[in-house]
């Protein structure tokens, strides 16, 4: 490791440099930003965000150039001549893998994982130990961490947590009990209430022959649990204490000791958590969404050359935007897709394709922004609810990437203006029937019909070898009737290819009659209907049945496996192949696993709805019911595989109504839910449109655990609004209550107080009528939270006690833990820390014994609140840091933001001003990004108090004014008044001074 030059796994370090050659704050912040993205250009926008957060000066670009020059000089004088390169895309620093500790860490982590997978565990342990030794603390802990760094630092910290767990297992497996004890002791410093960690430490010390230390460890564990939680050790920890007392070696792992955590067995397969960051288990690939290129594409070479020069240019001022416009049938989409495939290598960060449906039902720009951000591998919980902020986030993401975006079938410039990049090297290609002259910064590429040479080549290519002679009189006559329109030529060419009994002479004869030519060549809806009718008539009964099913079920992109409930997979794929051949269905994309997804044009879907006799139409509806039933059962199977217990009411708790061919693993269940996410809302709408309302509300309810886990608020609202209407339509009172409760919970998450109360009240009435005690308890918790947040604590406590009673009655340990945690907050607000602590101790024990880390982390937050109230700030900080690590580890940004706000408050009380300020700034930023006004207001209020304590009154005024406005928007008049009173105190002090 002597080759290391830079260190970011701890305080920023220039290794082997004498003293501290880099002292100025902005160059240090700049260097850290570049080192977080080594060997990759970082845009000036991203650098500005890192140096000045959300308020860069007008001279930011010039200032950055000055800082770069200064940084180059400092590095050269320190003997660290790492080149900093400049381009239109921004700045990059060239660093070898063995020169930056973070790069070396990731390299060793990958090498160790490969060795372990290959069966060489002992060598893997040595390599991972080297990686472990590189960490000196939290990454860049001596610098203020802006929001622009949050993702990179969170990824490194999550990798470090995974490393510690892997290394612990390897040391235990290969008999290094002393080394394992070191890791366990470090873990227990941050997590002193985990009985399983104490049990493992006692047994590890026994295995190492350190009997006295094992006895001391057990005594400390028992004392900690008694002092902090007022509980006794559980049976497994108690058994370990008995072994220590008897001095018996543990024979690790001891088969006689039951384990509540299967992952502790050396032979167990450790599965990633359901909310693990995907890049830690399966590195994210750049998006590659281009539809399949037409094998028989012809012509347009001049336009292709112009477009390629445009999108691949290196314009230092603006990203290239091309608008391909023309009448229907001129081949706009075909040209854009061909261009995309030709220039793929120039866009290494991915190619995104988005159909804007301008000719039918134009896609909402806000929804399109969400699709683009998800395509860039951003987690959905990080996407802002406000469309303007989504647009700003997209510009920020594209600023440091080179992505090609194709926006197909755009209606107006206003539909895509929010989707445009602001800077950087990405490119956008737009197709539209309109020229979109008002799209700022765009270059126009209007398309006309083919010339005679291009038209003849296309006809010959589509018709197939030997079907038509491009120089024959029949070909000239066919092309003249088509007026060289590409779509018309493709239609007649396809008919020649698919109808061997149709000769070119006969086709030319038919086209001579102008009264029937529109039936053959008309563009728009009539042309689509005529072509679809011809193709439909040629289908076999099985193919026609599938086509009718697709018309009733498929909205947007769909997978073949969604249709396999009505026939065997082989039969479905054969029929789909035929539908593709006759242009009734097309392949939309093929993912990296080779799995195709399909699309039906909106007008073709309407055509499929209208074909067939009455019995065939009725059969299509029955087929839709079969598909929905299979989909619902698969969601239930996925729910059964989730490790955490959902705090909500499921629509179904009995056995599956369909066979379970193979149980999901947790990882497979989450992967399936992620991959089929786009299917569910359209399926709910299809169920309602076909009168299958029972399936509509049940699919919405069954999807609840996933929506709660992923914070998918848009899908949550869309699916449950339709689900509520369907539950009412089919007269299912319990289903209606579930929909109301879930919509009420969504209202609580989004500070939408009036709808939240209405939905929760309706849910309470519905569950009472249905006799659902679990529903009673869960709804009571929601009502209690509403009352607590609206300043009515006595009524809130009554609801929480009502909930606890219901949970105890039905035996829901998870619900009881939630209820007791919530009730503790009311007792704490009354200054009764003893009662609050008792409730929390019971809740914590329930969470630990359930093995639910997420629930445990939430209880720890409440325990920390008690410790703060008792002015035991060291213990509060320890609890909050443990909670934050858990939330970060499972990717729960929402709970992590609240934890940061509370941790900032605790650090402030301990006098750690710099650390508190950074933590509170992070919480304000994340709360604002997530659209959660409560956490933003709480963190801003604490930050204002911190500025007051340090005498920074200007910052205090600004921050407290922001907090007051945020609290007002959240409807919390009490907190808003507190902030305004503090502001009035400043003004009074200034006047008297």
């Amino acid at each position: 490791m002597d080759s290391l030059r830079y260190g970011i796994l701890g305080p920023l370090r220039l290794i082997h440099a004498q003293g501290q050659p880099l002292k100025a704050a902005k160059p240090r912040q700049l260097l850290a930003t570049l080192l977080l993205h080594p060997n990759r250009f970082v845009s000036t926008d991203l650098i500005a965000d890192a140096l000045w957060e959300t308020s860069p000066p007008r001279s930011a670009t010039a200032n950055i150039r000055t800082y770069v020059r200064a940084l180059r000089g400092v590095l050269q004088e320190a003997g660290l001549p790492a080149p900093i390169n400049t381009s239109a895309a921004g700045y990059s620093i060239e660093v070898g893998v063995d020169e930056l500790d973070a790069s070396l860490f990731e390299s060793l982590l990958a090498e160790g994982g490969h060795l372990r997978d290959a069966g060489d565990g002992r060598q893997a342990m040595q390599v991972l130990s080297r990686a472990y030794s590189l960490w000196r603390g939290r990454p860049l802990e001596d610098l203020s961490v802006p929001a622009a760094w949050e993702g990179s630092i969170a990824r490194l910290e999550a990798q470090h947590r995974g490393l510690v767990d892997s290394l612990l297992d390897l040391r235990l497996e290969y008999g290094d009990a002393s080394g394992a004890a070191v890791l366990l002791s470090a873990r227990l410093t941050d997590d002193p209430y985990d009985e399983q960690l104490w049990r493992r430490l006692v047994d590890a010390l026994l295995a190492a022959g350190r009997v006295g230390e094992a006895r001391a460890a057990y005594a400390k564990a028992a004392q900690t649990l008694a002092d902090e939680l007022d509980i006794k050790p559980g049976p497994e920890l108690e058994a370990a204490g008995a072994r220590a007392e008897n001095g018996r070696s543990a024979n690790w792992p001891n088969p006689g000791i039951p384990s509540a955590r299967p992952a502790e067995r050396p032979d167990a397969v450790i599965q990633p958590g359901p909310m693990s960051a995907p890049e830690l288990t399966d590195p994210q690939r750049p998006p590659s969404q281009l539809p399949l290129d037409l094998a028989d594409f012809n012509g347009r070479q001049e336009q292709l050359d112009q477009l390629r020069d445009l999108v691949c240019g290196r314009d230092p001022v603006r990203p290239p935007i091309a608008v391909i416009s023309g009448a229907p049938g001129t081949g706009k989409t075909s040209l854009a897709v061909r261009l995309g495939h030709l220039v793929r290598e120039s866009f290494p960060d991915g190619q995104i394709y988005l159909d804007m449906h301008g000719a039918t039902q134009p896609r909402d720009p806000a929804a399109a922004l969400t699709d683009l951000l998800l395509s860039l591998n951003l987690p959905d919980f990080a996407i802002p609810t406000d469309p303007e902020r989504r647009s700003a986030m997209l510009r920020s993401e594209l600023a440091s990437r080179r992505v090609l975006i194709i926006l197909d079938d755009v209606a107006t410039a206003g539909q895509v203006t929010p989707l445009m990049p602001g800077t950087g090297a990405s490119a956008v290609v737009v197709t539209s029937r309109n020229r979109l002259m008002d799209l700022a910064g765009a270059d126009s590429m209007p398309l006309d019909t083919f010339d005679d040479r291009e038209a003849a080549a296309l006809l010959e290519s589509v018709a197939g070898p030997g079907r038509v002679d491009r120089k024959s009189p029949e070909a000239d006559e066919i092309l003249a009737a088509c007026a060289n329109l590409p779509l018309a030529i493709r239609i007649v060419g396809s008919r020649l290819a698919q109808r061997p009994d149709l000769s070119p002479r006969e086709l030319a004869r038919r086209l001579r009659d102008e009264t029937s030519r529109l039936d053959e060549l008309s563009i728009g809806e009539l042309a689509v209907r005529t072509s679809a009718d011809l193709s439909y008539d040629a289908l076999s009964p099985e193919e026609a049945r599938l086509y009718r099913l697709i018309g009733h079920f498929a909205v947007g992109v769909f997978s073949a496996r969604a249709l396999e409930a009505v026939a065997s997979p082989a039969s479905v794929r054969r029929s789909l192949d035929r539908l593709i051949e006759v242009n009734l269905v097309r392949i939309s994309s093929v993912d990296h696993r080779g799995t195709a997804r399909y699309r039906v044009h909106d007008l073709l879907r309407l055509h499929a709805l209208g074909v067939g006799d009455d019995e065939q139409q009725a059969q299509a509806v029955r087929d839709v019911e079969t598909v929905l039933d299979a989909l619902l059962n698969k969601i239930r199977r996925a729910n059964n595989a989730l490790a955490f217990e959902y705090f909500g009411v499921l629509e179904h708790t009995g056995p599956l109504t369909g066979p379970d061919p193979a149980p999901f693993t947790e990882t497979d269940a989450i992967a399936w839910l992620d991959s089929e996410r786009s299917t569910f809302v359209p399926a709910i709408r299809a169920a309602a449109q076909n009168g299958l309302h029972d399936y509509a509300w049940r699919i919405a309810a069954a999807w609840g655990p996933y929506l709660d886990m992923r914070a998918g608020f848009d899908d949550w609202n869309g699916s449950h609004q339709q689900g509520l209407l369907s539950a009412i339509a089919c007269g299912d009172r319990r289903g209606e209550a579930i929909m109301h409760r879930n919509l009420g919970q969504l209202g609580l998450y989004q500070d939408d107080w009036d709808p939240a109360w209405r939905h929760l009240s309706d849910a309470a009435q519905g569950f009472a009528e249905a006799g659902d005690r679990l529903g009673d308890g869960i709804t009571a918790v929601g009502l209690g939270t509403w009352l607590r947040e609206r300043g009515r604590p006595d009524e809130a406590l009554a609801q929480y006690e009502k909930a606890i009673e219901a949970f105890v009655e039905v035996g829901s340990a998870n619900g009881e833990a939630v209820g007791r945690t919530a009730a503790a907050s009311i007792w704490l607000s009354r200054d009764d820390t003893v009662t609050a602590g008792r409730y929390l101790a019971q809740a914590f024990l329930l969470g630990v014994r359930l093995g639910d880390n997420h629930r445990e982390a939430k209880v720890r937050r409440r325990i920390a609140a008690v410790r703060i109230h008792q002015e035991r700030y060291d213990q509060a900080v320890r609890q909050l840091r443990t909670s934050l690590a858990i939330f970060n580890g499972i990717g729960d940004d929402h709970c992590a933001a609240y934890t940061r706000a509370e941790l900032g408050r605790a650090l402030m009380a301990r006098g750690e001003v710099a650390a508190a300020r950074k933590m509170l700034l992070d919480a304000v930023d994340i709360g604002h990004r997530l659209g959660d006004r409560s956490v933003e207001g709480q963190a801003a209020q604490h930050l204002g108090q911190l500025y007051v304590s340090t005498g920074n009154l200007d910052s205090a005024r600004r921050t407290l004014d922001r907090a007051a406005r945020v609290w007002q928007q959240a409807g919390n008049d009490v907190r808003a008044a507190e902030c305004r009173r503090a502001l009035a105190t400043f003004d009074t002090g200034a006047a008297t001074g």
Side-chain angles (χ1 to χ4, degrees):
M1 299 183 189
D2 291 341
S3 58
L4 282 177
R5 293 183 172 186
Y6 302 92
I8 63 174
L9 301 180
L12 178 65
R13 287 180 57 188
L14 306 183
I15 300 170
H16 302 314
Q18 298 297 322
Q20 187 180 354
L22 191 61
K23 297 180 180 180
K26 295 299 184 188
R28 285 172 62 80
Q29 204 85 350
L30 169 62
L31 176 61
T33 303
L34 296 177
L35 290 174
L36 283 170
H37 307 84
N39 306 307
R40 181 173 178 176
F41 280 102
V42 181
S43 70
T44 52
D45 286 350
L46 184 62
I47 294 173
D49 286 342
L51 267 58
W52 294 284
E53 288 286 350
T54 57
S55 55
R58 292 184 178 180
S59 59
T61 301
N63 290 353
I64 291 172
R65 286 197 295 268
T66 300
Y67 297 145
V68 169
R69 286 196 297 270
L71 181 58
R72 284 177 175 144
V74 169
L75 295 181
Q76 187 171 4
E77 291 176 6
L80 300 169
I84 298 178
N85 298 320
T86 306
S87 79
Y91 300 92
S92 73
I93 186 168
E94 291 188 15
V95 181
V97 172
D98 58 347
E99 294 178 328
L100 173 65
D101 59 0
S103 297
L104 181 58
F105 167 75
E106 291 184 322
S107 175
L108 291 171
L109 196 62
E111 181 184 354
H114 176 73
L115 288 168
R116 185 179 58 184
D117 294 342
D120 193 351
R122 197 172 297 278
Q123 184 64 28
M125 182 171 62
Q126 296 178 4
V127 172
L128 293 178
S129 295
R130 290 179 60 203
Y132 180 76
S133 68
L134 290 170
W135 279 72
R136 299 171 286 109
R138 188 174 188 266
L140 300 172
E141 63 184 19
D142 59 330
L143 300 179
S144 174
V145 178
W149 294 358
E150 188 70 33
S152 299
I153 289 179
R155 176 177 56 82
L156 288 169
E157 290 181 329
Q159 288 176 322
H160 180 256
R161 287 191 297 273
L163 165 67
V164 171
D165 288 339
S166 297
L167 192 55
L168 175 61
D169 290 338
L170 286 170
R171 287 181 176 177
L172 291 172
E173 182 177 356
Y174 287 94
D176 184 7
S178 294
V182 171
L183 290 175
L184 285 164
S185 297
R187 286 280 301 274
L188 280 164
T189 300
D190 297 324
D191 201 355
Y193 307 124
D194 192 320
E195 293 179 277
Q196 293 298 326
L197 287 179
W198 282 112
R199 191 264 298 170
R200 296 177 77 179
L201 176 61
V202 171
D203 281 335
L205 291 169
L206 282 171
R210 296 153 63 179
V211 177
E213 293 178 63
R215 292 172 180 164
Y218 175 75
K220 185 177 181 181
Q223 188 67 39
T224 299
L225 294 174
D227 290 347
E228 298 288 339
L229 301 177
D230 194 23
I231 60 174
K232 295 180 179 180
E236 295 181 38
L237 178 56
E238 191 174 21
R243 289 192 295 275
E245 187 64 29
N246 295 330
R248 181 169 63 84
S249 176
N251 187 25
W252 189 272
N254 190 329
I257 304 173
S259 175
R261 301 182 182 182
E264 292 177 6
R265 299 192 303 270
D267 60 343
V269 177
I270 301 176
Q271 298 291 348
M275 295 179 69
S276 296
E279 64 266 27
L280 303 182
T281 57
D282 182 15
Q284 293 282 7
R285 296 175 174 84
S288 183
Q289 300 177 357
L290 295 177
L292 293 180
D293 193 12
L294 291 174
D296 50 19
F297 182 91
N298 277 276
R300 306 297 192 199
Q301 190 58 51
E302 180 181 351
Q303 290 87 346
L304 272 174
D305 291 341
Q306 294 177 15
L307 288 167
R308 182 162 47 189
D309 291 343
L310 173 64
V311 301
C312 294
R314 299 294 192 272
D315 190 331
V317 179
R318 62 177 177 85
I321 302 170
V323 175
I324 304 174
S325 60
T330 49
K332 303 179 290 296
T333 299
S334 300
L335 176 60
V337 171
R338 168 54 63 98
L339 171 70
H341 284 282
L342 287 177
V343 301
R344 281 188 62 186
E345 297 302 321
S346 298
F347 295 91
D349 294 321
Q351 310 86 41
I352 299 175
Y353 173 86
L354 203 59
D355 189 343
M356 301 300 292
H357 298 294
T360 52
Q361 294 180 333
R363 184 189 291 248
D364 177 42
L369 282 167
T370 298
D371 290 342
L372 288 173
L373 291 169
L374 289 173
S375 295
L376 292 172
N377 293 323
L378 269 74
D380 52 3
F381 55 79
I383 297 175
T385 57
D386 178 57
E388 291 185 5
R389 290 174 56 214
R390 292 184 198 178
S391 182
M393 177 178 280
L394 177 65
R395 292 193 295 273
S396 178
E397 288 296 323
L398 292 177
S400 60
R401 308 194 198 201
R402 189 163 177 81
V403 178
L404 175 66
I405 300 175
I406 295 179
L407 303 174
D408 192 22
D409 191 16
V410 171
T412 65
Q415 189 187 17
V416 293
T417 296
L419 315 184
M420 295 297 107
T423 186
S426 293
V428 180
V429 177
V430 175
T431 73
S432 176
R433 296 185 181 191
N434 304 311
R435 287 180 176 264
L436 305 184
M437 299 299 292
D438 54 341
L439 183 59
D443 290 274
S444 179
M445 172 65 68
L447 293 187
D448 202 345
T449 56
F450 275 164
D451 61 29
D452 291 343
R453 179 185 57 81
E454 292 173 327
L458 178 61
L459 176 62
E460 189 176 60
S461 176
V462 175
R467 285 293 284 133
V468 62
D469 181 359
R470 63 192 297 182
K471 298 180 180 179
S472 67
E474 292 86 355
D476 290 340
E477 190 172 358
I478 291 171
L479 293 173
C482 292
N484 285 2
L485 185 68
L487 176 60
I489 297 168
R490 188 167 296 281
I491 289 173
V492 296
S494 297
R495 291 180 60 195
L496 288 172
Q498 296 168 15
R499 294 280 304 279
D501 60 323
L502 179 65
S503 67
R505 179 176 297 179
E506 172 61 17
L507 179 58
R509 185 191 66 77
R510 295 182 183 183
L511 292 173
R512 291 188 197 119
D513 185 355
E514 293 184 354
T515 61
S516 62
R517 186 181 299 170
L518 290 178
D519 294 334
E520 305 288 345
L521 299 178
S522 179
I523 61 174
E525 181 177 353
L526 180 59
V528 170
R529 180 177 291 115
T530 300
S531 177
D533 282 340
L534 290 171
S535 299
Y536 178 76
D537 291 341
L539 297 177
S540 70
E542 293 79 9
E543 295 159 355
R545 178 181 175 182
L546 188 69
Y547 179 61
R548 292 190 295 271
L549 165 61
I550 289 172
H552 283 77
F553 174 76
V555 179
V557 173
F558 64 96
S559 61
R561 61 187 175 188
L563 309 177
E564 291 172 0
V566 298
S568 68
S571 176
V572 168
R573 280 166 172 74
R574 282 196 302 269
S575 295
L576 269 177
D577 288 343
R578 176 60 176 159
L579 294 176
I580 293 167
E581 290 172 7
V582 298
N583 296 315
L584 294 176
V585 173
R586 66 183 177 90
I587 298 176
S588 175
S589 63
V590 180
D591 64 19
H592 64 278
R593 295 181 295 271
T595 302
R597 296 184 73 82
Y598 307 90
R599 180 181 292 279
V600 180
H601 192 282
D602 290 342
L603 295 176
L604 285 175
R605 190 174 69 85
L606 295 176
H607 171 266
L609 284 170
V611 296
D613 56 30
D614 291 344
E615 172 54 31
Q616 289 172 330
Q617 288 293 304
Q619 180 62 54
V621 175
R622 291 194 293 270
D623 286 343
V624 171
E625 184 174 6
T626 301
V627 170
L628 292 171
D629 188 71
L631 181 64
L632 178 57
N633 272 279
K634 199 161 187 178
I635 297 173
R636 290 169 177 170
R637 290 174 50 214
N639 285 339
N640 290 342
L642 299 179
F644 66 91
E645 187 170 348
Y646 170 54
F647 185 70
V649 183
L650 291 172
E651 50 81 39
H652 176 81
T653 56
L656 300 176
T657 59
D660 186 357
F664 274 119
T665 65
E666 184 179 17
T667 301
D668 289 342
I670 295 301
W672 178 77
L673 288 165
D674 283 339
S675 67
E676 292 296 320
R677 176 173 180 165
S678 61
T679 301
F680 299 134
V681 173
I684 291 166
R685 292 183 184 139
Q689 289 168 7
N690 287 277
L692 303 170
H693 292 291
D694 190 59
Y695 283 102
W697 81 259
R698 287 185 182 279
I699 291 174
W703 199 20
Y706 175 82
L707 289 170
D708 207 355
M709 180 182 67
R710 289 290 193 217
F713 294 159
D714 288 346
D715 285 337
W716 189 328
N717 186 62
S719 62
H720 279 67
Q721 291 291 355
Q722 179 58 65
L724 177 59
L725 294 175
S726 289
I728 294 171
C730 64
D732 193 309
R733 196 72 177 98
R734 180 172 178 271
E736 185 181 343
I738 294 174
M739 294 295 98
H740 276 304
R741 179 269 162 188
N742 290 358
L743 286 168
Q745 185 64 36
L746 178 61
L748 292 178
Y749 283 154
Q750 298 185 313
D751 300 322
D752 204 353
W753 302 110
D754 290 343
W757 181 260
R758 289 196 304 271
H759 283 300
L760 290 169
S761 297
D762 289 343
Q765 183 178 349
F767 283 127
E769 292 177 9
D772 188 326
R773 291 291 286 147
L774 179 63
D776 288 341
I778 290 172
T779 306
V781 170
L783 290 168
T785 300
W786 192 97
L787 291 164
R788 184 189 68 198
E789 293 300 313
R790 308 303 290 162
R792 295 156 65 178
D794 294 343
E795 296 171 80
L797 182 59
Q799 289 289 343
Y800 292 147
E801 295 292 353
K802 176 182 174 182
I804 294 171
E805 180 182 348
F807 293 137
V808 171
E809 181 180 326
V810 298
S812 173
N814 179 56
E816 184 183 349
V818 175
R820 292 188 180 281
T821 303
S825 66
I826 304 298
W827 289 108
L828 182 60
S829 70
R830 297 176 175 179
D831 295 330
D832 189 343
T833 57
V834 175
T835 305
R838 185 172 68 250
Y839 273 84
L840 290 172
Q842 293 165 332
F844 183 84
L845 188 59
L846 287 167
V848 169
R849 291 179 178 173
L850 281 170
D852 189 334
N853 286 342
H854 193 261
R855 179 62 51 210
E856 177 186 332
K858 288 190 171 185
V859 178
R860 287 179 184 277
R861 273 182 50 208
R862 298 298 188 188
I863 293 174
V866 173
R867 298 296 178 251
I868 290 174
H869 204 83
Q870 296 169 331
E871 299 184 356
R872 296 162 66 180
Y873 299 114
D874 290 345
Q875 294 181 19
V877 167
R878 186 174 63 200
Q879 293 282 358
L880 289 168
R881 281 179 170 159
T882 301
S883 290
L884 185 60
I886 293 173
F887 291 137
N888 285 338
I890 60 179
D892 188 344
D893 232 5
H894 198 209
C895 288
Y898 278 98
T899 309
R900 288 177 186 277
E902 293 157 7
L903 181 54
R905 177 189 174 197
L907 290 168
M908 181 171 60
R910 287 209 311 185
E912 298 181 36
V913 175
R917 178 180 174 274
K918 183 179 73 63
M919 198 63 64
L920 292 170
L921 282 170
D922 289 347
V924 169
D925 180 72
I926 296 172
H928 184 70
R929 173 161 51 87
L930 293 178
D932 190 315
R933 291 184 288 265
S934 292
V935 69
E936 182 183 357
Q938 178 183 338
Q941 187 173 358
H942 292 332
L943 185 60
Q945 294 165 352
L946 182 145
Y947 285 136
V948 171
S949 69
T950 59
N952 189 348
L953 298 186
D954 288 339
S955 295
R957 272 193 197 88
R958 288 195 304 271
T959 307
L960 286 171
D961 181 67
R962 174 178 182 172
R965 285 185 283 106
V966 171
W967 280 127
Q968 196 69 49
Q969 292 168 1
N972 195 322
D973 296 335
V974 174
R975 290 291 187 89
E978 289 176 1
C979 296
R980 291 196 178 98
R981 282 196 297 271
L983 287 168
T985 301
F986 293 157
D987 295 338
T988 302
T992 57

